[in-house]
Amino acid sequence: MSDSTLAASHGRAGERALPGFGRAALPAVTPLDPAVLDALTAELATLVGADAVLRDEPARLAASTDWAHMSPVLAPLLPGGVADVVIRPPDAAGIAAAVGAAHRHRVPVTVRGQGTGNYGQGIPLFGGLVIDTTAAARILAVENGWLTAEAGASFVLMEKAALATGQELAILPSTVGSTVAGFIAGGSGGTGSIANGAIWDGYLRSLLVVPCTDDAIPVEVPFPDDTAMAHAFGVNGVIAQATVALRPARRWTGLFASFPELAGAVAAGEELFDLEPTPRLLSLDEAGIIATYRPVDPAMPAGRVSVRGIVTEDSVAAATAVVERHGGRVDAVRPRGPAHIASLSYNHTTYRVRKVRPELTHLQCMGPGLTRRRAEVAALAPESLIHLEGFLTANGRDWVSMLFLRYDGPDDLYERMARLADVEVYVDDPHTWELHHGRLDLVREAAARLDPDGLLNPGKLPAPTPATPS
């Protein structure tokens, strides 16, 4: 899964979320003219080859789903929209050719990678053409500090290419099979974000972006202009290739610690934020979350709060001292532990918890109330459980959270979302496919240039809120 929205509702990670919540609602859709779809299909077959163009029902359905079924708010609204045509271009040039053809026929375009981690953002609400980028997967260059790859390149291949040069990715999602453009368009942070922040904080050197126009000539968008495409769901240009940041590779190991109480675990985690070198990942789970993990792992003992870090081998002793100073103990140090620790982070936690406890749903949150006012949070959300991730925010390193709570219908859930702000817990609503972060002006400006007819992933970019008369 990609790590889609933990910090995404903020102008920069760590700022207060926008007030108010807009519930997802399916748009009214007029089916596309079959003759137009036939003409588009014929042109696409000419441009990229008939084998890359699919119209059979299984292919269209597979290309029209993401992980929205993990949301009890969204699941009743699904499938919501189904692709009319699917194309799997072999390279970045093929992606551009497909976008141009769709524009010439005025057919909506939704672009996807693996479709993991997002909640409706990858569903083609208006049908049309879905561009599956996973075949455009070449690593194009590995330089000092940067790696360039096509849209469909996986983080497995990118990390392998970087390691061959003594480097590693600055940020990568918890599901390393995710594609780079999918992560940029749908994600915000992940492994590495405790040191390097969100993907719009210097991670993107440049993007090759295809405008939705007849000629669809790709344009290079450098930093910081390319941050408009970060967590924009592909509404303002199609990412054909990306150049992302690398860091010198380190020898990482997995450290598993546990604590009898939340307060000690939080205090230790916050001191571990400043461990040198900075951990690559630092996660915390209350005991109720640990109880849902399968199989049972002795490194995460029942009834205790778990803190897990991907730390350098040379910093294990210092990390152990921090843990013990705050009343915890180190239960295991595993050289092969980093992959397992990553698989227990971010949206993976949602999947694991709901598999065992389907009556729960999740909210993505930030704010001091998560750790400093836990009893008040529990009063507002009985049976709630907290998962925390260390993240470099605009105000320094802090926690971002998955808050799990009982789902008693959307009215109850949205009431609790609003009330949580009273105890300094600010929710980034994951139960919607509409963009709702603090950088929407940048997104809209880029969309006006690169998607003048509004054909890219329609239904995901809300109209600006009218100004209130003074």
Side-chain angles (χ1 to χ4, degrees):
M1 301 175 190
S2 67
D3 306 311
S4 54
T5 54
L6 275 175
S9 68
H10 314 280
R12 287 175 56 88
E15 296 177 2
R16 178 168 175 161
L18 299 177
F21 304 100
R23 297 202 199 175
L26 290 174
V29 176
T30 301
L32 296 171
D33 184 343
V36 170
L37 295 171
D38 289 343
L40 172 62
T41 300
E43 182 173 351
L44 291 172
T46 299
L47 291 170
V48 300
D51 290 346
V53 184
L54 306 169
R55 293 190 68 178
D56 61 285
E57 185 175 25
R60 293 188 298 109
L61 290 174
S64 303
T65 60
D66 60 13
W67 278 75
H69 63 273
M70 292 293 292
S71 163
V73 177
L74 297 180
L77 302 176
L78 301 179
V82 177
D84 295 292
V85 184
V86 179
I87 186 169
R88 295 173 178 161
D91 51 28
I95 292 173
V99 174
H103 186 269
R104 289 189 289 275
H105 293 277
R106 296 301 190 268
V107 171
V109 178
T110 304
V111 186
R112 63 182 285 124
Q114 297 286 10
T116 58
N118 290 324
Y119 287 76
Q121 297 94 326
I123 293 176
L125 296 179
F126 288 78
L129 177 66
V130 166
I131 301 176
D132 179 336
T133 63
T134 53
R138 292 181 300 164
I139 309 297
L140 301 174
V142 182
E143 308 167 73
N144 183 21
W146 303 99
L147 182 149
T148 301
E150 291 183 316
S154 78
F155 282 86
V156 171
L157 295 178
M158 293 166 62
E159 182 84 334
K160 182 178 180 180
L163 288 172
T165 68
Q167 301 179 91
E168 64 188 22
L169 290 159
I171 306 171
L172 65 163
S174 54
T175 296
V176 292
S178 300
T179 59
V180 62
F183 179 52
I184 293 167
S188 59
T191 301
S193 284
I194 190 172
N196 300 302
I199 57 173
W200 48 82
D201 292 329
Y203 180 64
L204 306 176
R205 182 184 187 181
S206 66
L207 299 175
L208 188 67
V209 178
V210 181
C212 192
T213 58
D214 279 1
D215 53 16
I217 298 173
V219 295
E220 185 170 350
V221 183
F223 182 82
D225 294 344
D226 56 8
T227 61
M229 288 79 196
H231 201 81
F233 305 167
V235 302
N236 56 4
V238 175
I239 301 170
Q241 66 184 49
T243 301
V244 299
L246 302 177
R247 297 288 184 263
R250 298 188 182 275
R251 294 179 62 88
W252 301 105
T253 193
L255 184 140
F256 297 75
S258 65
F259 296 78
E261 303 290 344
L262 178 64
V266 168
E270 291 174 356
E271 189 170 341
L272 290 172
F273 286 169
D274 298 321
L275 191 68
E276 290 292 343
T278 304
R280 204 176 191 196
L281 188 71
L282 191 68
S283 304
L284 182 153
D285 281 322
E286 291 185 320
I289 291 179
I290 296 302
T292 69
Y293 288 166
R294 301 291 187 273
V296 173
D297 187 334
M300 294 178 284
R304 292 174 66 86
V305 181
S306 172
V307 174
R308 303 174 299 278
I310 299 178
V311 303
T312 61
E313 294 178 348
D314 293 341
S315 64
V316 168
T320 300
V322 170
V323 168
E324 293 176 348
R325 185 159 55 249
H326 291 281
R329 69 181 187 227
V330 172
D331 297 292
V333 176
R334 296 176 179 169
R336 296 185 179 181
H340 182 46
I341 289 174
S343 77
L344 300 171
S345 68
Y346 290 92
N347 231 352
H348 280 270
T349 309
T350 304
Y351 172 74
R352 291 173 180 270
V353 169
R354 294 200 73 242
K355 191 172 182 179
V356 175
R357 298 194 59 187
E359 77 278 10
L360 300 182
T361 190
H362 74 294
L363 299 176
Q364 295 168 334
C365 312
M366 295 186 75
L370 290 164
T371 55
R372 306 300 192 252
R373 304 175 70 173
R374 182 66 180 96
E376 294 172 86
V377 172
L380 285 175
E383 302 181 52
S384 59
L385 301 171
I386 287 180
H387 166 89
L388 302 176
E389 299 283 354
F391 207 102
L392 179 62
T393 77
N395 302 311
R397 295 188 178 94
D398 201 352
W399 299 108
V400 295
S401 172
M402 294 287 191
L403 175 65
F404 296 93
L405 67 167
R406 178 177 289 278
Y407 182 67
D408 291 316
D411 292 342
D412 177 79
L413 182 66
Y414 277 84
E415 179 186 355
R416 292 183 195 280
M417 286 187 196
R419 292 174 60 198
L420 283 165
D422 296 336
V423 294
E424 298 180 280
V425 175
Y426 308 119
V427 176
D428 174 6
D429 180 9
H431 302 283
T432 179
W433 45 62
E434 284 195 350
L435 284 162
H436 55 280
H437 57 64
R439 298 175 296 107
L440 290 190
D441 287 346
L442 291 176
V443 174
R444 292 189 177 105
E445 290 169 7
R449 298 192 312 273
L450 300 171
D451 182 29
D453 296 308
L455 292 174
L456 293 180
N457 208 2
K460 311 302 168 55
L461 178 60
T465 303
T468 303
S470 57

